[in-house]
Amino acid sequence: MNRFVMILLLLLALVGCAGEQNTFHVEGPVEEINEQSSQIYVDGFWLPVKNIEIYNVGDVISAEVESTAEGDQYVPGDIKVNEIKLNENPG
């Protein structure tokens, strides 16, 4: 019985570590738009977006971003935008 409980706890710990995500929030005005790569530049980060045509320079967005890069780092190719919200559209 003890062995079963130990194995179960070990498996739960491993699953917990594997599910860890590096998520962070980016908020601010859109400073640049790259239509060719479908990315917007906000607060020092290039963010891949769908429907690039709805964004304009100066729009204020907030986004939840996930990095699949190792550790707590920003690697443009390893970024996934989980959620993005257009807060202001001054135009």
Side-chain angles (χ1 to χ4, degrees):
M1 181 73 159
N2 271 347
R3 178 181 257 177
F4 174 75
V5 172
M6 293 276 290
I7 292 173
L8 183 60
L9 289 174
L10 179 62
L11 287 174
L12 288 174
L14 290 174
V15 168
C17 292
E20 190 175 316
Q21 297 178 8
N22 292 326
T23 58
F24 56 98
H25 295 326
V26 175
E27 188 169 348
V30 175
E31 298 171 41
E32 293 182 51
I33 298 173
N34 185 327
E35 291 182 11
Q36 292 170 338
S37 65
S38 290
Q39 294 184 343
I40 58 175
Y41 188 73
V42 179
D43 195 27
F45 298 97
W46 281 105
L47 305 176
V49 294
K50 297 177 183 173
N51 303 324
I52 190 76
E53 64 277 356
I54 68 170
Y55 298 97
N56 297 296
V57 170
D59 287 349
V60 177
I61 63 101
S62 57
E64 179 186 271
V65 181
E66 180 180 339
S67 172
T68 57
E70 274 192 43
D72 188 19
Q73 59 182 334
Y74 170 76
V75 178
D78 294 338
I79 291 295
K80 174 183 165 193
V81 176
N82 291 334
E83 182 180 342
I84 190 166
K85 179 181 172 189
L86 190 58
N87 295 333
E88 281 181 37
N89 191 341

